[in-house]
Amino acid sequence: DTGVSQNPRHKITKRGQNVTFRCDPISEHNRLYWYRQTLGQGPEFLTYFQNEAQLEKSRLLSDRFSAERPKGSFSTLEIQRTEQGDSAMYLCASSPSTDGGEQYFGPGTRLTVT
Amino acid sequence: GQSLEQPSEVTAVEGAIVQINCTYQTSGFYGLSWYQQHDGGAPTFLSYNALDGLEETGRFSSFLSRSDSYGYLLLQELQMKDSASYFCAVNPDSNYQLIWGAGTKLIIKP
């Protein structure tokens, strides 16, 4: 069990640039979640996949955010035209379909928009 | 709206017992989870309660009362390594997206 991995671990970008993050879940997990966390707050739900299908997307997520999970394996999260308010830790988690209450998190990607 | 309330900070002494409470108001309820997060780290799953009662896992126990929309995490025999933030989170529906509290920072003194 190699756990959930995320790349890159850190990303510094200038406002207006596009960024893409990758998440590799635990291989046998078919549920995959993206969260965003800022300092002193709990993670905030962004979107959720069951296999390759994106089943739910937070209303807080603007059209600049898009996520994919081709073939139900790894997932990517893209932010277009980044803004300073996008600076946060982006967390990916996976869980087996039998119990979504237990989610396994990756180390996160810390995004800084200058 | 959906909300979870937990104390922002709790202080305890090494070797003691501490309880972190969580009350919730959500549109639906499938279960209450607890996660630990050290500074700079990712959340780590601790426990999940779908039914009323107490679940025990080593030094950590978690309790749920669905009728009171209330749960708590109990940490026994506190160790310095338990210093971290503890989050309660609710599954409001079968998609198991988690709604998170703001976290409780646990400070342990020798």
Side-chain angles (χ1 to χ4, degrees):
Chain A
D1 179 4
T2 58
V4 178
S5 62
Q6 292 186 244
N7 288 288
R9 295 291 306 276
H10 303 274
K11 179 70 176 178
I12 300 174
T13 191
K14 293 185 178 179
R15 188 174 52 190
Q17 298 296 305
N18 298 343
V19 294
T20 300
F21 309 142
R22 176 177 171 129
C23 170
D24 287 89
I26 294 172
S27 57
E28 59 267 29
H29 288 179
N30 54 8
R31 295 178 184 237
L32 186 148
Y33 307 81
W34 284 99
Y35 295 90
R36 177 173 62 189
Q37 186 177 28
T38 53
L39 196 62
Q41 299 296 317
E44 175 188 30
F45 170 78
L46 295 179
T47 191
Y48 155 66
F49 290 86
Q50 173 94 14
N51 298 312
E52 67 274 11
Q54 187 175 17
L55 298 186
E56 193 161 351
K57 186 175 177 180
S58 170
R59 286 189 293 272
L60 301 174
L61 216 58
S62 75
D63 291 341
R64 296 184 298 105
F65 288 71
S66 63
E68 294 182 341
R69 192 183 182 195
K71 303 178 182 179
S73 56
F74 71 92
S75 176
T76 58
L77 177 69
E78 181 182 19
I79 309 174
Q80 297 181 326
R81 306 182 302 281
T82 52
E83 302 173 355
Q84 286 188 323
D86 296 331
S87 295
M89 175 74 84
Y90 289 83
L91 295 164
C92 173
S94 70
S95 73
S97 60
T98 52
D99 187 352
E102 181 174 347
Q103 297 183 10
Y104 295 84
F105 283 79
T109 295
R110 181 166 296 284
L111 173 65
T112 302
V113 182
T114 62
Chain B
Q2 310 203 81
S3 66
L4 284 80
E5 291 191 10
Q6 54 182 130
S8 60
E9 189 176 291
V10 171
T11 301
V13 177
E14 191 176 14
I17 300 172
V18 72
Q19 179 174 313
I20 299 174
N21 298 320
C22 174
T23 57
Y24 58 88
Q25 283 189 317
T26 55
S27 57
F29 182 85
Y30 275 66
L32 178 70
S33 302
W34 287 94
Y35 286 80
Q36 178 191 62
Q37 187 175 31
H38 288 98
D39 285 346
T44 302
F45 172 80
L46 292 177
S47 67
Y48 178 67
N49 294 68
L51 303 175
D52 287 354
L54 188 69
E55 296 276 347
E56 298 181 60
T57 307
R59 294 188 297 115
F60 295 180
S61 302
S62 58
F63 172 82
L64 173 66
S65 170
R66 295 178 65 139
S67 61
D68 295 322
S69 298
Y70 164 76
Y72 66 73
L73 179 69
L74 190 73
L75 296 84
Q76 303 183 69
E77 301 173 15
L78 286 172
Q79 302 175 11
M80 297 304 293
K81 68 178 182 179
D82 297 329
S83 295
S85 290
Y86 292 83
F87 293 88
C88 59
V90 165
N91 305 123
D93 57 41
S94 60
N95 281 336
Y96 291 101
Q97 67 162 81
L98 293 175
I99 308 297
W100 295 70
T104 299
K105 186 175 180 64
L106 175 61
I107 298 170
I108 300 174
K109 297 184 176 181

